[in-house]
Amino acid sequence: MISLSPHFITDGQGKKISVVLPVKDFEAILEELEELEDIKLYDEAKKSNEPSIPIDDAFKMIEAKRKAK
């Protein structure tokens, strides 16, 4: 779990309207979001039931397409 140190900006009535985070907290949130996105993509790929290929074969196919251009 990420431990955050937010600072809030309020309007004249004391309502929170913005938040300021230390850069390290912001970067930690971005890392967590990227990991969650990877998990979502993995879950979607598993649900699709499409055949998979070994990673080395995938890289060879990609490289062949690059050379063909």
Side-chain angles (χ1 to χ4, degrees):
M1 184 70 153
I2 299 174
S3 176
L4 301 177
S5 304
H7 297 276
F8 297 99
I9 298 173
T10 57
D11 64 12
Q13 289 78 38
K15 179 181 174 188
K16 295 177 184 175
I17 58 172
S18 294
V19 65
V20 178
L21 293 172
V23 172
K24 69 177 183 130
D25 290 354
F26 177 72
E27 289 171 345
I29 290 170
L30 288 180
E31 286 180 28
E32 289 290 325
L33 288 173
E34 288 173 6
E35 187 172 332
L36 285 173
E37 181 64 22
D38 291 344
I39 292 168
K40 276 178 54 178
L41 291 172
Y42 174 80
D43 289 344
E44 289 174 17
K46 291 296 278 187
K47 284 182 188 176
S48 73
N49 290 325
E50 292 193 21
S52 60
I53 60 172
I55 191 73
D56 290 335
D57 293 346
F59 286 140
K60 288 176 187 173
M61 291 169 58
I62 292 167
E63 198 58 37
K65 283 184 181 180
R66 285 185 185 158
K67 289 179 181 177
K69 288 184 179 183

